[in-house]
């Protein structure tokens, strides 16, 4: 069996955890298989950090010539499949596709939807061009705006691919609703990271930062990088909000350290890499209880740290996943439907604070803070939800395994 994994997001510890969980599961299910993961012009260091180190897992970072995005977008918009074969880089990619038995689209966010990622669509369309079966695994999708011609074309191509997939699993209830409205069959799942339960040694230098005190993990989100917030919020207003959040955390969990775990890395920009924003928060608060862990540590290390926390306050999707995966009390700050949809699937709405609206006014921010203060006082371990999530994730993987084997 030759399996090709495409559209694997990089530079995010959550995507790393989902990647490792999926690939480790595929290796167990298909021990004699060759598994290739294909990128185009990716950061080699980011790929290195994602690697699971198995000899039958091959990471391919193809260096592409100029014009891939332009040519492929024309081909997709005009339905001119022959153009794919004419570009040297895309032609080489197609040969890798043709040599594969199955294509698996890696778990991830709403590239097919809100972010309207044309490169994501390209990797999917290439499988259709060479008539290969695709498993679109553990993704969120939508919403599909229709304001511009580009919007409408991307929605049309998305629906085309949704109908083409041989296996489709959706990781949140909001995305499921969109697929149901389209009449497309799917398997309900949760985040792929729930397939794995990593426990590793925490590096000595990290243990020295955390110390021996009890601690809470705090993972804020700059938000202004997101298409829903970039015109509504400023960096200063977001900093003010998290300053209020921190004060409530330290009031509720007295004598606890507050540990911040950056989820993103290797973007090379302020908005891209969490660490810069986290250091700004630390500088602003000037509180010795606040500890910022460097962004070089793996998702396995992060999950182990979270497993020892008294509570997690997370405004990043995978900080929420990591907390549930370890049965730790969680207050999730939901900024888009992938968080609210996950919690809805698990019946954990009482652990959620909705920050998708209201942060752009003082009145709205105060209402959010009041809701957060109430909910953090009632935070409790989520052991049963942890078991439920793991069970759902396993059933979904087994359903894909069955389809591939058949």
């Amino acid at each position: 069996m030759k399996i090709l994994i495409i559209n694997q997001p990089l530079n995010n510890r959550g995507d790393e955890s989902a990647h490792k969980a999926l690939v480790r599961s595929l290796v167990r299910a298909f021990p004699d298989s060759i598994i290739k993961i294909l990128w185009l012009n990716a950061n080699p260091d980011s790929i290195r950090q994602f690697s699971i180190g198995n000899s039958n897992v091959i990471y391919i970072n193809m260096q592409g010539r100029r014009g891939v995005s332009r040519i492929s977008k024309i081909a997709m918009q005009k339905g001119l499949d022959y153009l794919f074969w004419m570009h040297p880089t895309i032609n080489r990619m197609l040969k890798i596709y043709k040599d594969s038995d199955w294509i698996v689209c890696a778990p991830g966010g709403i590239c097919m939807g809100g972010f309207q990622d044309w490169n994501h669509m390209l990797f999917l369309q290439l499988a259709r061009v060479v008539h290969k079966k695709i498993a679109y695994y553990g993704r969120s999708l939508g919403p599909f705006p229709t304001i511009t011609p580009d919007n409408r074309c991307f929605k049309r191509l998305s629906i085309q691919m949704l109908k083409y997939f041989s296996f489709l699993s959706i990781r949140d209830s909001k995305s499921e609703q969109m697929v149901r409205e389209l009449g497309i069959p799917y398997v309900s799942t949760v985040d792929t990271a729930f397939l794995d339960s990593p426990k590793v040694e925490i590096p000595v230098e990290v243990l020295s930062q955390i110390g021996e005190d009890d601690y809470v993990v705090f993972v804020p989100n700059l938000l202004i990088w997101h298409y829903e917030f970039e015109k509504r919020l400023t960096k200063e207003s977001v900093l003010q909000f998290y300053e209020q959040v921190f004060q409530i955390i330290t009031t509720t969990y007295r004598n606890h350290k507050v540990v911040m775990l950056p989820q993103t890395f290797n973007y090379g920009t302020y908005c891209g890499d969490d660490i810069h924003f986290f250091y700004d928060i630390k500088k602003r608060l000037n509180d010795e209880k606040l500890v910022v862990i460097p962004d070089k540590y793996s998702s396995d290390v992060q999950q182990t740290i979270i497993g020892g926390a008294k509570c997690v306050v997370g405004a990043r999707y995978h900080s929420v996943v990591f907390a549930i995966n370890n049965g730790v009390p969680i207050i999730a700050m939901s900024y888009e439907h992938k968080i609210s949809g996950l919690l809805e699937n698990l019946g954990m709405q009482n652990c959620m604070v909705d920050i998708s609206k209201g942060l752009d006014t003082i009145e709205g921010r105060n209402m959010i803070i009041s809701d957060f203060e109430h909910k953090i006082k009632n935070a409790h371990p989520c052991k049963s939800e942890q078991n439920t999530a793991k069970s759902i994730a396993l059933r979904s993987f087994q359903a894909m395994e069955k389809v591939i084997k058949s």
Side-chain angles (χ1 to χ4, degrees), residues 16-139:
E16 177 195 347
S17 68
H19 171 77
K20 289 179 174 177
L22 174 62
V23 176
R24 288 166 180 164
S25 298
L26 286 170
V27 168
R28 287 192 295 269
F30 304 95
D32 298 323
S33 63
I34 298 297
I35 300 170
K36 295 180 180 180
I37 302 94
L38 177 64
W39 287 275
L40 184 61
N41 298 327
N43 183 327
D45 180 64
S46 298
I47 294 175
R48 178 190 62 79
Q49 294 192 49
F50 273 45
S51 174
I52 68 165
N54 284 57
S55 59
N56 60 330
V57 178
I58 302 168
Y59 293 85
I60 303 171
N61 186 16
M62 185 172 289
Q63 300 304 306
R65 296 186 185 180
R66 294 174 61 183
V68 170
S69 296
R70 181 174 58 85
I71 295 296
S72 63
K73 190 172 180 180
I74 293 171
M76 288 185 284
Q77 289 180 328
K78 304 295 185 182
L80 304 175
D81 288 353
Y82 70 87
L83 289 179
F84 292 127
W85 297 96
M86 296 177 65
H87 192 285
T89 301
I90 304 176
N91 191 297
R92 284 161 52 214
M93 293 170 67
L94 284 166
K95 290 177 181 177
I96 296 174
Y97 277 69
K98 287 185 72 174
D99 189 47
S100 305
D101 298 308
W102 265 86
I103 313 298
V104 176
C105 182
I110 52 176
C111 296
M112 187 190 285
F115 287 108
Q116 196 170 296
D117 188 333
W118 285 97
N119 282 333
H120 181 85
M121 183 61 68
L122 166 64
F123 275 75
L124 296 175
Q125 289 283 331
L126 294 185
R128 179 191 59 78
V129 168
V130 292
H131 312 293
K132 293 295 180 177
K133 294 181 178 181
I134 311 178
Y136 198 72
Y137 190 79
R139 279 265 172 180

Side-chain angles (χ1 to χ4, degrees), residues 156-169:
R156 175 178 58 80
L157 292 171
S158 296
I159 294 172
Q160 177 194 59
M161 292 312 304
L162 285 166
K163 292 179 178 179
Y164 178 84
F165 297 148
S166 299
F167 180 84
L168 173 63
S169 66

Side-chain angles (χ1 to χ4, degrees), residues 55-287:
S55 59
N56 60 330
V57 178
I58 302 168
Y59 293 85
I60 303 171
N61 186 16
M62 185 172 289
Q63 300 304 306
R65 296 186 185 180
R66 294 174 61 183
V68 170
S69 296
R70 181 174 58 85
I71 295 296
S72 63
K73 190 172 180 180
I74 293 171
M76 288 185 284
Q77 289 180 328
K78 304 295 185 182
L80 304 175
D81 288 353
Y82 70 87
L83 289 179
F84 292 127
W85 297 96
M86 296 177 65
H87 192 285
T89 301
I90 304 176
N91 191 297
R92 284 161 52 214
M93 293 170 67
L94 284 166
K95 290 177 181 177
I96 296 174
Y97 277 69
K98 287 185 72 174
D99 189 47
S100 305
D101 298 308
W102 265 86
I103 313 298
V104 176
C105 182
I110 52 176
C111 296
M112 187 190 285
F115 287 108
Q116 196 170 296
D117 188 333
W118 285 97
N119 282 333
H120 181 85
M121 183 61 68
L122 166 64
F123 275 75
L124 296 175
Q125 289 283 331
L126 294 185
R128 179 191 59 78
V129 168
V130 292
H131 312 293
K132 293 295 180 177
K133 294 181 178 181
I134 311 178
Y136 198 72
Y137 190 79
R139 279 265 172 180
S140 295
L141 53 91
F144 295 109
T146 55
I147 298 170
T148 69
D150 260 17
N151 291 158
R152 293 188 288 274
C153 180
F154 194 88
K155 180 178 180 180
R156 175 178 58 80
L157 292 171
S158 296
I159 294 172
Q160 177 194 59
M161 292 312 304
L162 285 166
K163 292 179 178 179
Y164 178 84
F165 297 148
S166 299
F167 180 84
L168 173 63
S169 66
I170 304 296
R171 72 180 184 180
D172 72 87
S173 60
K174 305 296 183 184
S175 298
E176 287 179 27
Q177 182 180 346
M178 295 177 200
V179 175
R180 281 197 303 271
E181 289 171 357
L182 293 169
I184 296 169
Y186 68 93
V187 173
S188 180
T189 190
V190 287
D191 195 89
T192 310
F194 289 115
L195 286 172
D196 212 2
S197 300
K199 289 290 184 290
V200 298
E201 291 291 327
I202 298 176
V204 173
E205 62 271 22
V206 175
L207 289 174
S208 67
Q209 282 186 274
I210 297 174
E212 297 182 358
D213 296 332
D214 290 336
Y215 60 90
V216 173
V217 168
F218 177 33
V219 185
N221 187 336
L222 178 58
L223 294 175
I224 59 174
W225 56 268
H226 193 279
Y227 62 89
E228 284 287 350
F229 298 95
E230 58 185 351
K231 295 180 180 178
R232 289 169 40 199
L233 301 178
T234 64
K235 173 186 165 185
E236 178 60 26
S237 67
V238 176
L239 281 166
Q240 289 175 3
F241 170 67
Y242 287 125
E243 184 174 5
Q244 291 177 277
V245 169
F246 176 80
Q247 298 304 333
I248 292 172
I249 293 172
T250 53
T251 300
T252 307
Y253 289 90
R254 297 182 186 278
N255 303 317
H256 285 57
K257 283 193 173 176
V258 179
V259 177
M260 300 175 76
L261 294 175
Q263 296 288 286
T264 57
F265 64 97
N266 273 357
Y267 280 95
T269 63
Y270 185 96
C271 286
D273 294 323
D274 283 350
I275 193 75
H276 310 300
F277 181 54
F278 287 14
Y279 281 136
D280 273 356
I281 293 174
K282 182 173 175 61
K283 181 179 179 181
R284 185 185 187 98
L285 294 170
N286 192 27
D287 192 315

